[in-house]
Amino acid sequence: MKEVFEFLKKAGTYYLATVEGDQPRVRPFGTVDIFEGKLYIQTGKKKDVFRQLEKNPKAEICAFMGGTWLRASATLVVDDRREAKAHMLDSYPNLRSMYSEDDPNTAVLYLKNCTAVFSSFTQEPKTVEF
């Protein structure tokens, strides 16, 4: 899990894919955090992406950096605890202008049953599961 976290953190931007009915939806994200041994991302509950994840929590993350790409498939689980939200926002203080751990719009989600595959054109794929 730490290898996935470090890759996403260093890449800066990754893409989160969800589904809306039968239509795939992809958008850029940038938040990633480890809290209590789980890998988390953050969004707002008022956003379409959150509503899509409520209906179908299966998602995929993709990032590319230096000739290597990462695809991580997981179920995203909402963690509404104040401590989890605060940890994420402490890791990204610039988000505090839009979110708060006490704001009901703030959502942090952790990856459950994740299969992450690191690939490149020059090396065999490497799979990490957590």
Side-chain angles (χ1 to χ4, degrees):
M1 177 182 59
K2 187 174 181 185
E3 186 176 3
V4 173
F5 167 77
E6 289 172 356
F7 189 92
L8 293 174
K9 189 81 168 171
K10 191 172 180 183
T13 300
Y14 59 88
Y15 296 87
L16 178 71
T18 59
V19 291
E20 184 174 48
D22 67 350
Q23 179 63 48
R25 301 288 183 196
V26 180
R27 79 280 293 148
F29 267 63
T31 54
V32 62
D33 192 24
I34 293 179
F35 178 68
E36 294 182 346
K38 296 176 184 169
L39 187 66
Y40 281 78
I41 66 169
Q42 184 275 333
T43 191
K45 289 184 179 179
K46 295 177 184 174
K47 293 183 177 182
D48 289 342
V49 65
F50 187 80
R51 288 188 289 276
Q52 292 157 8
L53 289 167
E54 282 183 307
K55 290 181 181 175
N56 182 351
K58 292 182 180 180
E60 191 160 281
I61 290 173
C62 185
F64 182 82
M65 180 179 60
T68 300
W69 59 94
L70 166 70
R71 285 183 41 204
S73 300
T75 299
L76 295 181
V77 179
V78 176
D79 185 342
D80 271 329
R81 293 178 300 151
R82 186 180 193 281
E83 299 82 6
K85 295 175 187 180
H87 196 275
M88 175 65 79
L89 295 172
D90 287 346
S91 297
Y92 292 89
N94 58 319
L95 290 177
R96 289 194 171 277
S97 65
M98 298 179 291
Y99 298 101
S100 156
E101 52 267 39
D102 297 315
D103 174 6
N105 181 47
T106 302
V108 293
L109 307 97
Y110 65 87
L111 282 68
K112 180 180 175 184
N113 299 326
C114 183
T115 300
V117 180
F118 292 90
S119 301
S120 76
F121 291 117
T122 59
Q123 296 179 354
E124 290 294 316
K126 177 182 178 182
T127 301
V128 177
E129 294 180 334
F130 56 93

